């Protein structure tokens, strides 16, 4: 049957993407050196959403075959492939990719059609039979290593995230086109969402985007309640649906509560961009009885330690 006793579970599939809007031609956007990083970033984030992990599925190559953009995918774990298939079947992957493309390319909407194939099999015709889909993907072993261009784009994306985490205003040479709202910590000079101030405990505070310092304090102090905060945020953030929160809990279980909380808030920041503000986090903390953490983030605890 599928995986042997010791052999790792590895499979491959092709994701065919086409915009249903005549003015948006995905292969042309990907062939543009200026737009390519933005399209790649949207693909990467949407695939991460689908498996609940940045490394859940690997992109080996992106082919431009007008009018389709064809992404060759590699799966190294059966459970990641199951999550991907579930996300694809339920339309969550499509919705996520549409949203990420819209943010990355600064467009009003990017409607998509998707098709999934493994070898000669059209998986869209058998999505209800998940085990059969898994067998088809498992039979198709990847016929290539990751394309050099994909590796370069991956490195560019990683270096940008790291640099932006260290310094909000640092531009990464050669990767400026990747700097769009759905990456962590947009530059503080960016325009805020319409809510300029908010009220907490009868006081008025200026709204602002979440900073790396906020991010670290939250992860350190929220403890076991990070899931509840995530569920409060999910009311206005599609990227924090229950499966995503549950997947983060499983994936970062060994690393502990700090990393689980850090990754949850990272999802919020990545998906919401400029709208990932303190005015949205504070009510989620209040709702879950985390008033002292809210006060800490707003600078109301001068020298007290709440670790």
């Amino acid at each position: 049957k599928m995986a042997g006793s010791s052999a790792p579970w590895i499979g491959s599939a092709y994701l065919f993407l086409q915009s249903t809007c005549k003015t948006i031609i995905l292969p042309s956007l990907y062939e543009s050196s200026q737009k390519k990083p933005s399209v790649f970033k949207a693909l990467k984030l949407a695939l991460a959403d689908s498996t609940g992990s940045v490394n859940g599925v690997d992109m080996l190559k992106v082919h431009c075959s007008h009018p389709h953009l064809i992404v060759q995918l590699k799966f190294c774990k059966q459970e990641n492939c199951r999550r991907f298939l579930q996300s694809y079947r339920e339309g969550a992957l499509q919705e996520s990719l549409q949203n990420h493309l819209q943010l990355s390319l600064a467009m009003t909407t990017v409607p998509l059609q998707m098709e999934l194939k493994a070898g000669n099999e059209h998986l869209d015709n058998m999505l209800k039979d998940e085990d059969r889909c898994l067998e088809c993907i498992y039979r198709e072993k990847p016929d290539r290593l990751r394309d050099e261009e994909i590796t370069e784009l991956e490195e560019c994306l990683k270096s940008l995230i790291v640099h932006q985490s260290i310094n909000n205003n640092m531009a990464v040479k050669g990767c400026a086109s990747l700097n769009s709202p759905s990456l962590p910590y947009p530059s503080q000079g960016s325009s805020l969402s319409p809510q300029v101030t908010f009220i907490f405990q009868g006081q008025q505070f200026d709204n602002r985007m979440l900073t790396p310092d906020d991010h670290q304090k939250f992860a350190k102090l929220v403890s076991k309640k990070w899931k509840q905060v995530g569920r409060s945020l999910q009311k206005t953030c599609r990227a924090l649906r229950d499966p995503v929160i549950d997947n983060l809990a499983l994936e970062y279980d060994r690393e502990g509560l700090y990393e689980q909380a850090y990754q949850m808030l990272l999802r919020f920041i990545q998906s919401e961009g400029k709208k990932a503000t303190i005015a949205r986090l504070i009510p989620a903390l209040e709702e879950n009885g985390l008033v002292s953490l809210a006060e800490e983030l707003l600078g109301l605890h001068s020298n007290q330690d709440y670790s």
Side-chain angles (χ1 to χ4, degrees):
K1 273 276 177 175
M2 277 194 274
S5 56
S6 59
W9 196 98
I10 294 176
S12 181
Y14 286 89
L15 183 63
F16 287 71
L17 304 169
Q18 180 182 358
S19 169
T20 54
C21 175
K22 289 181 181 177
T23 57
I24 300 172
I25 302 159
L26 290 177
S28 299
L29 289 170
Y30 193 79
E31 285 168 341
S32 154
S33 58
Q34 193 178 3
K35 300 286 186 185
K36 180 178 287 185
S38 299
V39 177
F40 175 80
K41 185 192 59 173
L43 287 168
K44 180 79 178 168
L45 293 174
L47 289 169
D49 287 346
S50 74
T51 59
S53 166
V54 176
N55 302 312
V57 53
D58 195 14
M59 279 188 276
L60 297 181
K61 185 171 177 63
V62 178
H63 305 264
C64 293
S65 176
H66 292 260
H68 290 102
L69 199 64
I70 307 169
V71 187
Q72 186 175 4
L73 304 173
K74 175 185 174 185
F75 299 91
C76 292
K77 286 185 180 177
Q78 186 177 326
E79 56 265 35
N80 286 338
C81 194
R82 278 192 190 278
R83 287 175 192 157
F84 170 85
L85 286 169
Q86 184 182 354
S87 177
Y88 182 85
R89 183 175 67 242
E90 293 172 353
L93 174 64
Q94 183 174 356
E95 186 179 349
S96 175
L97 184 52
Q98 286 176 167
N99 290 340
H100 284 305
L101 283 168
Q102 186 180 333
L103 276 169
S104 293
L105 297 167
M107 293 180 170
T108 50
T109 180
V110 184
L112 292 176
Q113 274 184 345
M114 289 184 159
E115 194 177 351
L116 190 62
K117 295 181 183 178
N120 296 322
E121 300 285 354
H122 291 251
L123 302 185
D124 297 73
N125 301 330
M126 58 177 89
L127 288 173
K128 289 181 180 176
D129 189 346
E130 194 173 277
D131 286 336
R132 191 178 163 203
C133 288
L134 284 166
E135 282 183 24
C136 293
I137 291 170
Y138 178 71
R139 274 203 307 268
E140 289 300 312
K141 300 302 181 196
D143 59 358
R144 61 161 61 243
L145 296 172
R146 187 198 282 179
D147 202 69
E148 282 183 16
E149 182 180 65
I150 297 283
T151 303
E152 285 172 17
L153 286 163
E154 287 265 13
E155 290 307 312
C156 204
L157 192 58
K158 278 181 196 168
S159 68
L160 183 70
I161 290 171
V162 169
H163 279 76
Q164 285 191 327
S165 297
I166 295 166
N167 183 343
N168 289 351
N169 300 313
M170 186 180 286
V172 179
K173 191 177 178 183
C175 298
S177 54
L178 275 168
N179 187 9
S180 83
S182 60
L183 278 169
Y185 317 123
S187 66
Q188 295 296 317
S190 308
S191 59
L192 287 172
S193 54
Q195 189 178 359
V196 179
T197 60
F198 65 100
I199 303 294
F200 173 71
Q201 294 184 337
Q203 292 185 55
Q204 192 170 36
F205 291 88
D206 290 336
N207 192 14
R208 56 174 174 76
M209 285 178 282
L210 294 172
T211 66
D213 190 47
D214 296 329
H215 197 164
Q216 287 167 6
K217 280 182 182 175
F218 172 83
K220 182 183 174 188
L221 302 175
V222 70
S223 192
K224 293 177 181 177
K225 287 195 173 180
W226 70 268
K227 272 190 176 184
Q228 286 110 298
V229 176
R231 293 197 172 103
S232 294
L233 289 171
Q234 81 181 189
K235 295 169 190 171
T236 58
C237 176
R238 290 176 178 175
L240 290 178
R241 289 173 169 171
D242 279 339
V244 173
I245 292 173
D246 293 338
N247 287 341
L248 288 173
L250 285 170
E251 186 175 358
Y252 296 97
D253 182 47
R254 285 185 182 178
E255 285 87 343
L257 292 171
Y258 176 94
E259 192 61 28
Q260 290 170 329
Y262 187 91
Q263 293 295 331
M264 185 278 288
L265 197 61
L266 180 62
R267 282 298 163 88
F268 178 68
I269 291 166
Q270 284 178 332
S271 67
E272 297 299 300
K274 293 174 186 174
K275 295 177 184 174
T277 61
I278 194 77
R280 289 176 70 185
L281 181 57
I282 294 298
L285 296 175
E286 278 191 286
E287 195 174 303
N288 294 288
L290 293 162
V291 174
S292 65
L293 174 49
E295 290 172 347
E296 180 73 28
L297 294 180
L298 294 171
L300 297 178
H301 293 155
S302 50
N303 297 310
Q304 297 176 47
D305 183 13
Y306 282 77
S307 53

